[in-house]
Amino acid sequence: MGLEKRFYELGIIPVVAFSDIEEVVPTAQALINGGLPAIEVTFRTDIAAGAIHLIKQMFPKMLVGAGTLLSIDQVEQAIKVGADFFVAPGFNADLITQAWEYDLMFIPGCATASEVDEALRMNIKFVKFFPAEACNARKYISALNGPYPQMNYMPTGGISLENMAEYLEIDNVVCCGGSWIASSSLMQSGNFEQVRENAKQVAEKVKSIRGNN
Ligand code: 3PG
């Protein structure tokens, strides 16, 4: 199965910033138990590569991405630990060229028509739309679909259980990213039961929106 199809089925990719390596296994286990076996580990914290490595070892079937990639060095670290996909908040041409070299599933960030135009020029047809809510992305993506019907999106930034359905119903939205499912405060307080519950609510909602695809 292509990765994009898997993103579509999952509907929401939990975006997670680990601050302690002890949080990693219980968080991944809670997401899996809740029915959402995917995670984007952000490089906002310096244990990101170690966390990806650990998840790949413990849960080899989980879809594990590297997020908030800002530098070539971070992409190299993520490649070394076996990340399945790579996400950047912005449209960084250096990282896109590097991704080509390694044939990576690389999802750059776009938030304007010019960036979408440039992505298509580089034959990229799946981008993160960031920051979604701050850019009024529910309207913005629908408007972009006019001139750019071939572009596909993963809106991220301000997505919640309450607004996710509106996003998933927009044409060309493959999935969304969101940090509320396994938030830093839930992990730091050891509330992995709530992480599991959040994942379960998301999985049920995605199923009700998209059926059993
Ligand atoms: C990201 O890093 O992709 C976003 O900041 C996540 O946005 P959220 O915290 O609003 O879900």
Side-chain angles (χ1 to χ4, degrees):
M1 186 198 296
L3 273 190
E4 214 170 301
K5 184 158 186 283
R6 216 163 150 210
F7 283 123
Y8 182 88
E9 288 174 357
L10 288 157
I12 302 284
I13 305 297
V15 174
V16 180
F18 289 114
S19 54
D20 184 332
I21 203 77
E22 297 294 325
E23 297 164 355
V24 176
V25 171
T27 300
Q29 185 70 69
L31 293 172
I32 292 167
N33 290 350
L36 205 51
I39 189 165
E40 178 189 316
V41 179
T42 76
F43 272 69
R44 291 180 190 198
T45 64
D46 58 12
I47 60 167
I52 293 171
H53 180 68
L54 188 53
I55 299 168
K56 294 299 292 180
Q57 274 186 324
M58 298 290 294
F59 308 102
K61 288 192 183 147
M62 192 167 195
L63 182 65
V64 188
T68 318
L69 294 168
L70 304 180
S71 70
I72 288 191
D73 174 59
Q74 288 174 334
V75 175
E76 271 163 11
Q77 288 182 48
I79 293 170
K80 265 193 206 132
V81 292
D84 300 307
F85 65 96
F86 302 76
V87 187
F91 198 79
N92 181 328
D94 289 347
L95 301 193
I96 292 167
T97 311
Q98 185 190 18
W100 281 339
E101 230 171 88
Y102 290 94
D103 199 20
L104 307 176
M105 167 71 160
F106 185 77
I107 309 166
C110 286
T112 64
S114 301
E115 287 160 355
V116 169
D117 206 295
E118 181 65 2
L120 287 171
R121 201 181 60 79
M122 296 174 88
N123 204 28
I124 295 165
K125 299 203 175 80
F126 182 33
V127 295
K128 166 171 168 151
F129 191 99
F130 177 79
E133 277 292 281
C135 293
N136 199 9
R138 284 176 264 180
K139 280 195 178 156
Y140 204 115
I141 292 173
S142 302
L144 286 171
N145 282 339
Y148 304 109
Q150 63 278 57
M151 182 52 89
N152 299 289
Y153 301 93
M154 174 169 67
T156 307
I159 313 299
S160 64
L161 187 68
E162 287 69 40
N163 67 19
M164 60 176 266
E166 274 186 63
Y167 275 97
L168 294 182
E169 280 160 0
I170 301 169
D171 283 347
N172 297 357
V173 167
V174 176
C175 62
C176 298
S179 69
W180 88 94
I181 304 153
S183 65
S184 298
S185 62
L186 285 177
M187 294 189 296
Q188 280 161 22
S189 61
N191 196 349
F192 301 105
E193 177 49 28
Q194 188 61 48
V195 174
R196 189 197 61 79
E197 180 57 30
N198 290 347
K200 182 167 167 271
Q201 288 174 347
V202 166
E204 282 168 358
K205 200 153 192 171
V206 170
K207 204 169 162 192
S208 76
I209 299 163
R210 294 192 158 167
N212 289 315
N213 288 297

